[in-house]
């Protein structure tokens, strides 16, 4: 059977987010709690372009955000998860006279149907995480 020689484009744009990332999880294999679901691939798979993080409160603390890909199985089983990347989130004081810092990590890959992307953070902080992508 020949390989697909035609480019594939997403059919429906998707923006998914989690605006309540707060509790620390120091497990580096995706297990432990809490884990924060950020994106679920559509029934025909999805393309994810980027993930963006931003502090949501003025008592913002420094942390590391870990981005995991999960095969649709239980996140409590390490074999279902892979650590895709990490990004350092610096302390940030939200004020009314300057923009707060955001952190963006390119993803640029296709996800199979029912795969998910979830996030954990190393120390307690208040973050939003937004993924820009599309469903096939």
């Amino acid at each position: 059977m020949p390989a697909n020689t035609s480019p594939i484009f997403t059919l429906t744009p998707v923006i998914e987010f989690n605006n309540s990332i707060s509790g620390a999880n120091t497990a580096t294999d995706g297990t432990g709690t809490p884990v924060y679901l950020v994106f679920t691939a559509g029934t025909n798979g999805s393309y994810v372009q980027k993930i963006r993080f931003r502090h949501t409160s003025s008592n913002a603390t420094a942390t590391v955000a870990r981005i995991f890909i999960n095969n649709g199985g239980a996140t409590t089983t390490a074999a279902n998860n892979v650590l895709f990347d990490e990004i350092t989130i610096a302390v940030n004081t939200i004020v009314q006279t300057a923009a707060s810092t955001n952190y963006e990590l390119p993803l640029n890959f296709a996800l199979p149907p029912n795969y998910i992307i979830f996030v954990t953070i190393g120390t307690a902080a208040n973050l939003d995480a937004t993924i820009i992508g599309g469903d096939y």
Side-chain angles (χ1 to χ4, degrees):
M1 177 176 228
N4 183 1
T5 58
S6 300
I8 186 170
F9 300 97
T10 57
L11 180 64
T12 307
V14 177
I15 299 173
E16 292 189 24
F17 54 90
N18 188 319
N19 57 7
S20 60
I21 297 172
S22 58
N25 177 348
T26 58
T28 57
D29 60 1
T31 61
T33 56
V35 299
Y36 298 96
L37 177 65
V38 182
F39 191 88
T40 302
T43 56
N44 294 315
S46 299
Y47 180 83
V48 287
Q49 180 186 13
K50 60 185 170 182
I51 187 167
R52 187 172 190 170
F53 295 94
R54 182 181 291 276
H55 281 289
T56 60
S57 68
S58 59
N59 60 348
T61 57
T63 191
V64 60
R66 295 182 174 99
I67 298 89
F68 291 90
I69 301 170
N70 172 277
N71 64 7
T75 60
T76 54
T77 303
N80 293 335
N81 311 319
V82 64
L83 177 60
F84 176 74
D85 210 344
E86 300 174 301
I87 188 168
T88 301
I89 310 291
V91 66
N92 183 47
T93 302
I94 297 175
V95 296
Q96 300 308 313
T97 56
S100 60
T101 306
N102 65 67
Y103 299 87
E104 197 167 282
L105 186 65
L107 300 174
N108 295 320
F109 60 84
L111 274 176
N114 303 315
Y115 272 48
I116 66 170
I117 295 175
F118 68 92
V119 169
T120 65
I121 55 175
T123 58
N126 295 308
L127 299 176
D128 281 349
T130 305
I131 287 188
I132 307 297
D135 289 338
Y136 293 118

